[in-house]
């Protein structure tokens, strides 16, 4: 958790007292609610291995990471509030006012969208959103990964622009299919002859069927795939 990347707009990491914290469910819902931490933890607790990635991550960059997240299904919490059919955006608000806006159909399509309270077997670290944050597989963090979560508002994309949208970023931000070579590392000198080439590829919620590698102008060669933990 100490080495997991962090991107946010907070100049100082918020300190939230779990005793005073609540999560409000507002907007286009039949039954607006305000949940305490005990209310939240009364839902079924689940775990999911989910990759988070920043849209600014370059090939070979470090703004991407895997974690085993522990929390409650976002769909369960929203179902109890009664989401109205005209809503198409889920806005996550942080305690410091930061907002993200996720496509509601994506959040509710069966992927492991969570209100997370734990990370890799530990309570959610303060720097990563304690006491609760959003985790939505397959969406870049700037439209989904609200830390220090305080409110979920059901609304429409026509009615509200989340923090990054007026700054020129796309409304709906699905994570693109990406791959990288990790071995050999960087640009080392290598001995003449046969070399092992290895790396990772990811296409969240879709999965990887095949990876091919080309050396110079040679033929594309099919790589051997390891077992995938998840899509």
């Amino acid at each position: 958790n100490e080495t997991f990347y962090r991107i946010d707009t907070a100049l100082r990491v918020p300190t939230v007292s779990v005793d005073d914290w609540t999560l409000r469910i507002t907007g286009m819902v039949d039954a607006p609610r305000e949940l305490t931490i005990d209310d939240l933890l009364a839902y079924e607790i689940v775990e999911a291995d989910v990759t988070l990635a920043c849209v600014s991550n370059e090939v070979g960059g470090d703004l991407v990471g895997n974690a085993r997240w522990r929390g409650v299904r976002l769909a369960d919490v929203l179902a109890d509030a009664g989401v109205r059919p005209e809503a198409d955006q889920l806005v996550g608000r942080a305690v410091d006012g930061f907002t993200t806006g996720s496509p509601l159909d994506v959040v509710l399509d069966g992927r492991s969208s969570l209100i997370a309270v734990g990370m890799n077997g530990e309570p959610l670290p303060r720097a990563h959103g304690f006491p609760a944050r959003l985790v939505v597989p397959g969406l870049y963090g700037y439209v989904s990964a609200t830390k220090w979560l305080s409110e979920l508002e059901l609304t429409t994309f026509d009615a509200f622009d989340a923090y990054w949208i007026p700054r020129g970023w796309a409304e709906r931000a699905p994570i693109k299919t990406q791959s990288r070579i990790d071995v050999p590392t960087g640009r080392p000198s290598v001995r003449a002859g046969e070399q092992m080439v290895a790396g990772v590829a990811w296409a969240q919620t879709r999965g990887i069927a095949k990876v091919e590698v080309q050396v110079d102008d040679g033929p594309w060669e099919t790589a051997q795939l390891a077992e995938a933990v998840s899509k």
Side-chain angles (χ1 to χ4, degrees):
N1 289 345
E2 291 75 17
T3 59
F4 198 93
Y5 83 97
R6 175 186 162 217
I7 293 288
D8 54 58
T9 62
L11 297 179
R12 182 176 299 171
V13 175
T15 299
V16 181
S17 168
V18 73
D19 295 330
D20 301 329
W21 177 86
T22 61
L23 174 61
R24 292 180 294 133
I25 318 296
T26 65
M28 296 170 138
V29 293
D30 296 327
R33 311 182 66 201
E34 188 165 6
L35 306 177
T36 66
I37 193 67
D38 289 338
D39 295 331
L40 184 66
L41 297 180
Y43 285 90
E44 181 183 5
I45 303 296
V46 298
E47 287 188 334
D49 296 316
V50 178
T51 301
L52 295 188
C54 179
V55 70
S56 300
N57 190 50
E58 299 180 353
V59 174
D62 59 1
L63 302 182
V64 59
N66 305 302
R68 176 161 294 176
W69 304 97
R70 183 176 178 85
V72 304
R73 297 183 188 90
L74 192 49
D76 292 348
V77 175
L78 297 181
D80 282 349
V83 178
R84 295 176 185 168
E86 60 268 29
D88 65 8
Q89 179 178 204
L90 176 68
V91 173
R93 281 192 171 84
V95 298
D96 62 356
F98 176 79
T99 55
T100 63
S102 304
L104 187 59
D105 58 343
V106 169
V107 170
L108 299 178
D109 69 359
R111 65 187 67 190
S112 298
S113 300
L114 303 176
I115 302 174
V117 297
M119 182 180 182
N120 292 323
E122 299 176 0
L124 194 62
R126 178 169 163 248
H128 292 289
F130 180 86
R133 68 170 295 162
L134 290 182
V135 173
V136 182
L139 293 180
Y140 286 115
Y142 80 92
V143 301
S144 65
T146 311
K147 291 176 278 200
W148 313 292
L149 185 65
S150 65
E151 182 181 355
L152 294 172
E153 179 187 0
L154 280 300
T155 184
T156 66
F157 282 104
D158 288 339
F160 182 79
D161 287 336
Y163 180 88
W164 283 110
I165 307 309
R167 292 162 172 81
W169 297 86
E171 271 187 348
R172 302 163 187 261
I175 292 179
K176 310 289 188 180
T177 301
Q178 294 185 339
S179 62
R180 74 183 192 208
I181 293 173
D182 293 318
V183 178
T185 303
R187 295 181 179 179
S189 297
V190 296
R191 68 182 184 278
E194 188 174 277
Q195 297 292 327
M196 176 69 73
V197 176
V200 293
W202 62 95
Q204 281 188 292
T205 75
R206 303 179 301 278
I208 295 293
K210 181 168 66 171
V211 174
E212 295 178 318
V213 180
Q214 184 186 45
V215 178
D216 295 330
D217 296 322
W220 285 94
E221 303 284 353
T222 301
Q224 178 181 348
L225 296 186
E227 182 180 355
V229 174
S230 72
K231 288 188 177 182

